[in-house]
């Protein structure tokens, strides 16, 4: 999937279909498309969240694009929370909402910096539609890698 933002249009091209690409064009006001986050960077997550709520085709394309990223760039790597999230086609914000937590907390969990409780592991398994043992194995492997790095 590619995205092009011009002065007042955002175009998403979904190349996941074998035939011709699906093109979704949405007229924008510049302030709507280009939000700046606290670090002075474009906040595309907010834009895609907003656009996905407004148009189910955008939501489907973003989900498929997330799955494509997981398959294209993370195949052959061990499972992780981030990889399972992408495989499910979810953004960090979407998964955080399902877990009843914040996106920054989920980002920490994905980077192995947060405190992964048993309750959160059950919620992750349920939200990602995987067995609890998969999440427990990821948590165990993360702990081992952290111990070996220390």
């Amino acid at each position: 999937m590619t995205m092009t933002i011009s002065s007042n249009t955002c175009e998403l091209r979904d190349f996941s279909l074998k035939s011709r690409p699906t093109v979704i064009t949405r007229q924008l006001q510049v302030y709507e498309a280009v939000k700046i986050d606290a670090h002075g960077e474009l906040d595309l997550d907010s834009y895609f969240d907003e656009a996905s709520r407004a148009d189910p085709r955008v939501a489907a394309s973003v989900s498929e694009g997330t799955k494509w990223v997981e398959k294209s760039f993370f195949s052959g790597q061990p499972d992780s929370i981030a990889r399972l999230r992408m495989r499910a086609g979810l953004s960090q914000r979407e998964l955080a909402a399902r877990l009843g937590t914040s996106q920054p907390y989920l980002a920490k969990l994905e980077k192995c910096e947060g405190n992964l409780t048993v309750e959160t592991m059950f919620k992750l398994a349920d939200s990602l539609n995987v067995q609890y043992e998969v999440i427990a194995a990821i948590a165990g492997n993360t702990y081992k890698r952290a111990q070996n790095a220390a």
Side-chain angles (χ1 to χ4, degrees):
M1 178 171 52
T2 63
M3 180 184 76
T4 307
I5 297 179
S6 64
S7 60
N8 65 349
T9 302
C10 177
E11 183 175 281
L12 295 171
R13 291 183 182 268
D14 184 351
F15 294 98
S16 63
L17 302 174
K18 295 290 184 211
S19 57
R20 62 183 188 56
T22 303
V23 178
I24 300 168
T25 302
R26 181 169 181 233
Q27 292 299 321
L28 307 167
Q29 294 181 5
V30 174
Y31 69 85
E32 177 187 43
V34 184
K35 294 182 180 174
I36 306 299
D37 68 12
H39 304 289
E41 298 176 358
L42 294 178
D43 186 359
L44 292 176
D45 287 336
S46 291
Y47 171 73
F48 281 122
D49 286 346
E50 202 172 296
S52 293
R53 281 191 296 275
D55 187 340
R57 297 174 302 166
V58 173
S61 289
V62 169
S63 179
E64 288 305 311
T66 302
K67 292 175 185 178
W68 176 84
V69 167
E70 185 274 328
K71 187 183 287 185
S72 299
F73 296 102
F74 295 95
S75 66
Q77 294 185 14
D79 275 342
S80 65
I81 294 170
R83 185 161 186 211
L84 293 176
R85 173 185 54 78
M86 287 185 278
R87 190 177 298 153
L90 299 172
S91 69
Q92 284 184 339
R93 286 185 185 179
E94 290 169 319
L95 181 55
R98 288 184 182 191
L99 297 174
T101 190
S102 68
Q103 180 274 327
Y105 173 72
L106 180 61
K108 285 184 177 185
L109 290 180
E110 288 187 354
K111 291 190 258 178
C112 307
E113 296 172 357
N115 182 18
L116 186 57
T117 65
V118 172
E119 179 184 4
T120 302
M121 290 178 9
F122 275 108
K123 287 181 180 179
L124 279 166
D126 186 49
S127 297
L128 295 170
N129 205 19
V130 298
Q131 296 292 318
Y132 171 80
E133 291 78 12
V134 172
I135 302 298
I138 289 170
N141 289 337
T142 300
Y143 178 76
K144 288 176 191 170
R145 282 194 302 270
Q147 292 293 78
N148 290 336

